[in-house]
Every structure is written in C-alpha cells, then in structure tokens.
Amino acid sequence: MKRTLLYLSALLFLALTMGSCRRAAENAARKIRIEAIEQITPKGLNGADVILRVANGTRHKLVLTKAVFEFYYRQDKAMSIRLHESVEIGKRTTESIMTRWKIRIDDPLIVLLLGRDLETDEPSQIFVSYSVEGRGGPASVNIAREKVPLSDFLNTFGVTLQDVKNHF
C-alpha cells in the first residue's frame, strides 16, 4: 500500500510539474514576436539577407540555431530555405536582427507553378514543412511540422497572403 501511495505521489508530482512547464512555455511564446520584416536583400541566386524586428519580452536570451522551411506544390518539393548562421536576441528587448538564408530550388518549373498560384490568390495546393531548433534560456526548442497548408502556416504568424505579396 505504501509503495502504491508513493507511485501515485510521484505521478501527481510529475503531472503538476509538466503542466506548469507547459504553461510557462505558452506564456513565453506569447512574449516573443516577429514584429516586422524590415528588409530583404537577395544575395546572388541562392541566398538572401533578411532583417527582422523581433520582440523578446522574456527574461531569457533567445538563440535560433537551425531553421529549415520546405515549400511543396501538391506533393512535389519546389524549394527549401535554410538559416545559414545562428542568431540571438537579448532578453526583454526589441531588436532588428540580420538573418542570412540559403535558398535551394529543387525544381524550377514547380517554383513557377507555386508562384502562379500565389499571384492568383489560390494557395490551396501549396504546403510548408518546417523544422526549427534553438534555446530560450535553459529550455531547448524543437518544433517541426510536415506539409502544413500555406494559409495555416501564415496564420501562425498573423500574416496574410497579401502581406507576403507586398514584400515580394
């Protein structure tokens, strides 16, 4: 009986701490925002420098070590965009940070089809897979999703298709 009580106590403790960690992560996520894309500068045929204004309202320095975005048209991979160098932002600040990205076009014809659908406001055949790794203070962050519809992906960041078209 004592052993069962000990196991139940341990499970209760784990459940309570996992819930508080989840709430802490959700609170931190609300305090981190990409406020604007300030500038996009193409670098040759396979790269770009993007200046982002990022707000970090947490009490931890944020470090983004890896980010990969893959764009699909129907089931075919069109292109991928990969963070070239890690970036960091200080705690409780809003900063403009320069990020460097490598672009790889897997199929130029599929990229043309993808661009056509973006121009005609018909993104239903466009999907995004992504993987992001980094640290927020003592916690590591690993987020990955496969073939998310473009509209759902943009909604995650509060961005519309028209916002994307305005930048390009």
Side-chain angles (χ1 to χ4, degrees):
M1 182 67 164
K2 285 184 180 181
R3 179 173 264 165
T4 305
L5 189 57
L6 180 65
Y7 287 140
L8 287 174
S9 299
L11 285 173
L12 180 62
F13 174 75
L14 286 173
L16 290 174
T17 57
M18 286 174 23
S20 67
C21 287
R22 184 171 20 116
R23 279 191 299 272
E26 290 170 356
N27 287 336
R30 283 192 290 271
K31 295 179 180 179
I32 301 167
R33 290 183 319 279
I34 297 175
E35 293 187 337
I37 299 173
E38 295 181 345
Q39 183 178 358
I40 299 173
T41 307
K43 295 291 181 186
L45 295 174
N46 63 349
D49 288 346
V50 179
I51 298 175
L52 302 170
R53 188 171 57 243
V54 180
N56 176 12
T58 69
R59 59 184 179 175
H60 301 290
K61 175 177 78 170
L62 303 177
V63 180
L64 181 62
T65 55
K66 179 183 173 188
V68 178
F69 299 91
E70 296 174 332
F71 295 86
Y72 293 83
Y73 183 77
R74 296 185 180 153
Q75 295 299 317
D76 298 317
K77 186 173 170 185
M79 63 187 291
S80 61
I81 302 172
R82 179 179 307 271
L83 183 66
H84 183 65
E85 301 169 346
S86 64
V87 294
E88 34 181 88
I89 182 168
K91 57 185 175 182
R92 294 188 173 129
T93 61
T94 299
E95 298 179 25
S96 292
I97 57 171
M98 197 278 292
T99 59
R100 180 157 287 160
W101 299 86
K102 289 286 187 181
I103 301 167
R104 181 175 159 221
I105 296 175
D106 292 289
D107 190 331
L109 294 176
I110 294 175
V111 172
L112 289 174
L113 291 172
L114 191 142
R116 180 199 65 192
D117 282 10
L118 287 175
E119 286 179 12
T120 60
D121 293 330
E122 183 53 46
S124 63
Q125 299 297 318
I126 301 171
F127 301 92
V128 182
S129 294
Y130 59 90
S131 172
V132 178
E133 295 177 11
R135 293 198 69 75
S140 62
V141 176
N142 296 313
I143 303 168
R145 294 205 45 209
E146 292 291 323
K147 295 188 180 173
V148 177
L150 179 64
S151 56
D152 292 350
F153 175 75
L154 294 175
N155 287 338
T156 303
F157 301 101
V159 176
T160 65
L161 185 57
Q162 190 59 44
D163 295 334
V164 173
K165 290 167 84 174
N166 291 342
H167 281 290
F168 297 102

